[in-house]
Amino acid sequence: MTTLLIAEHDNKSLKDATNKALTAAKALSGDVHVLVAGNNCKAVADAAAKLDGVSKVLVAEASPYEHMLAEPTAALVVSLAGGYDAIVSPATTSGKNIMPRVAALLDMMQISDITKVVAPDTFERPIYAGNAIQTVKSNDARKIITVRTAAFQATGEGGSAPIENIAAANDLALSLFVGEELSKSDRPELTSARIIISGGRAMQSRENFTKYIEPVADKLGAAMGASRAAVDAGYAPNDWQVGQTGKVVAPELYIAVGISGAIQHLAGMKDSKIIVAINKDEEAPIFQVADYGLVADLYQALPQLAEELGKIGR
């Protein structure tokens, strides 16, 4: 069985989501080839070649792939599909954009958001906001899979796979890159951060995120997140949203501040290794999943936490 893994990258570096999806791809058994579609992306190909378990790296360089536009990238994947038993991608924004097109063009079922490989044709995936786990068995000759990366450990280095340059697929010019506005931050990326501190509706304003959450995040070297209620209220930007309709994370430490613990939010963070909840409502559902809970007023608890962290040199 040979698997094609679509690499997630920015043409300069390989995203951590690729390393985690590779762990799932290796569980399918057989060779794993990594597709790096981009432009001036040699550094990405070199990084992919060093990953443990990669048999070959395929590099397609062309301007339509620079920003991983869905239509040309899907066309490239379909042109390569004949040689593979499975096509795998992280279930990121790009993966969710590209893979349904690949599945439709190949007229095959997509198996989305898998959290476990039971067998090469059998997988587990969460449904009902993670309250149930569905086991899916596919009889398709070729498996089209997206991977919930929060459920898999990242594969490290240890390989030395050959790199092969391949021709770009025919571009039907169905889409054109116009521009992008990216948020810039010195903080870790939310989906790959070791520590995350998130605020909920109880933060009451954007200024309170800056005043109370940010000092603690700075001392911990943490990423900042938010519940959907906080985002909808305008207290935090959309790219901070953690939950079923936001980002799914699984950091080593997740601190939930003023978050009640609605099922939609829990679906995005309950796989965190350690969960700490700060909420003045002792009946809040978040305490049911928290490893440590503090019933307190966040406006008093967070400054005290920042002060104590300062005392230990944070």
Side-chain angles (χ1 to χ4, degrees):
M1 184 172 189
T2 307
T3 300
L4 179 67
L5 171 63
I6 302 173
E8 183 99 3
H9 64 90
D10 60 3
N11 293 299
K12 298 176 183 178
S13 59
L14 195 65
K15 299 293 186 181
D16 185 59
T18 306
N19 301 51
K20 293 178 178 179
L22 174 58
T23 302
K26 292 194 296 182
L28 295 171
S29 302
D31 293 338
V32 178
H33 296 177
V34 176
L35 172 63
V36 177
N39 201 22
N40 297 319
C41 54
K42 183 179 184 301
V44 177
D46 290 341
K50 294 176 182 178
L51 294 178
D52 181 52
V54 175
S55 301
K56 183 190 294 185
V57 177
L58 305 178
V59 182
E61 293 194 279
S63 56
Y65 308 141
E66 183 172 358
H67 301 281
M68 293 196 77
L69 295 179
E71 290 83 1
T73 305
L76 174 65
V77 173
V78 170
S79 72
L80 299 170
Y84 296 97
D85 301 293
I87 301 172
V88 176
S89 168
T92 57
T93 301
S94 292
K96 291 177 181 179
N97 200 14
I98 295 167
M99 294 298 274
R101 289 174 165 84
V102 172
L105 290 169
L106 293 174
D107 193 24
M108 292 185 176
M109 176 183 71
Q110 176 177 311
I111 306 169
S112 303
D113 234 20
I114 69 164
T115 55
K116 182 178 180 180
V117 178
V118 179
D121 64 350
T122 308
F123 313 91
E124 290 185 359
R125 58 185 298 273
I127 57 175
Y128 302 129
N131 283 301
I133 301 298
Q134 182 182 59
T135 301
V136 180
K137 183 173 183 179
S138 172
N139 292 323
D140 282 344
R142 188 172 296 110
K143 313 298 186 282
I144 313 297
I145 300 166
T146 62
V147 176
R148 176 172 286 198
T149 54
F152 294 89
Q153 293 292 322
T155 295
E157 295 186 350
S160 57
I163 299 174
E164 178 183 328
N165 292 310
I166 61 173
N170 182 36
D171 181 16
L172 300 177
L174 296 175
S175 60
L176 177 67
F177 178 77
V178 176
E180 63 185 2
E181 294 183 13
L182 301 176
S183 58
K184 295 182 180 180
S185 174
D186 294 330
R187 299 189 186 283
E189 186 178 350
L190 192 60
T191 53
S192 59
R194 293 177 55 250
I195 303 173
I196 297 172
I197 178 168
S198 290
R201 193 200 303 272
M203 295 306 301
Q204 298 183 344
S205 71
R206 183 179 289 262
E207 291 72 24
N208 283 341
F209 266 87
T210 303
K211 183 178 179 180
Y212 294 98
I213 297 276
E214 193 168 296
V216 177
D218 288 340
K219 292 181 183 298
L220 291 173
M224 291 172 62
S227 68
R228 178 171 179 171
V231 171
D232 287 349
Y235 305 159
N238 288 333
D239 58 345
W240 287 12
Q241 184 177 326
V242 174
Q244 185 180 13
T245 55
K247 295 178 179 177
V248 177
V249 299
E252 294 179 16
L253 172 62
Y254 187 88
I255 305 174
V257 180
I259 295 175
S260 63
I263 187 173
Q264 291 84 359
H265 186 77
L266 298 183
M269 46 64 73
K270 66 181 182 181
D271 290 329
S272 303
K273 306 301 181 291
I274 298 175
I275 299 172
V276 175
I278 302 174
N279 200 300
K280 66 180 182 180
D281 178 9
E282 63 182 21
E283 300 296 330
I286 190 71
F287 289 123
Q288 297 177 14
V289 299
D291 297 287
Y292 300 93
L294 177 62
V295 179
D297 186 334
L298 67 91
Y299 298 112
Q300 296 176 9
L302 288 180
Q304 291 172 2
L305 177 57
E307 182 181 346
E308 292 299 323
L309 288 171
K311 290 179 181 178
I312 62 174
R314 286 285 189 169

